[in-house]
């Protein structure tokens, strides 16, 4: 699997910095960033998600905190309709 480098946190030191790659065949993003704190996770759980969906984080997943200035590196689909979120439908 050959990845495409998209971007790294500006003025980053040599290691441990938020970075984003894309898998060209699927468009999947691979994101290295800061692990969300327990307070971040609890706050997300308090807000919730879609009805009937748990906010527990399974063992095979984790939550990261992506700095706002890294959003510029996330590609947008050409036909993006600017909708927010996933209605689950």
């Amino acid at each position: 699997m050959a990845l495409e480098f998209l971007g790294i946190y500006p003025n980053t030191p040599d290691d441990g910095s938020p970075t984003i790659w894309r898998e060209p065949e699927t468009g999947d993003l691979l994101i290295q960033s800061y692990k969300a704190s327990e307070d971040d996770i609890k706050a997300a759980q308090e807000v919730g998600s879609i009805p009937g969906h748990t906010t527990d984080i399974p063992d095979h997943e984790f939550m990261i905190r992506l700095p706002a200035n890294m959003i510029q590196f996330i590609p947008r689909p050409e036909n993006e309709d600017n909708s927010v979120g996933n209605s689950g439908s």
Side-chain angles (χ1 to χ4, degrees), residues 5-89:
F5 170 76
L6 298 180
I8 191 165
Y9 195 89
N11 302 318
T12 185
D14 293 335
D15 61 357
S17 302
T19 308
I20 299 177
W21 300 266
R22 177 174 41 199
E23 202 285 296
E25 290 182 20
T26 63
D28 291 350
L29 300 178
L30 288 87
I31 301 174
Q32 171 190 336
S33 193
Y34 307 110
K35 183 177 179 181
S37 70
E38 288 298 319
D39 288 341
D40 291 335
I41 294 169
K42 287 178 186 175
Q45 289 172 329
E46 288 174 8
V47 171
S49 182
I50 60 173
H53 191 273
T54 181
T55 55
D56 293 336
I57 300 173
D59 289 340
H60 65 278
E61 297 180 1
F62 60 91
M63 183 184 290
I64 63 168
R65 175 180 284 274
L66 187 67
N69 66 0
M70 293 297 292
I71 294 171
Q72 66 183 313
F73 300 118
I74 297 176
R76 305 288 192 269
E78 290 182 24
N79 61 350
E80 183 177 82
D81 64 2
N82 295 323
S83 61
V84 177
N86 178 348
S87 65
S89 55

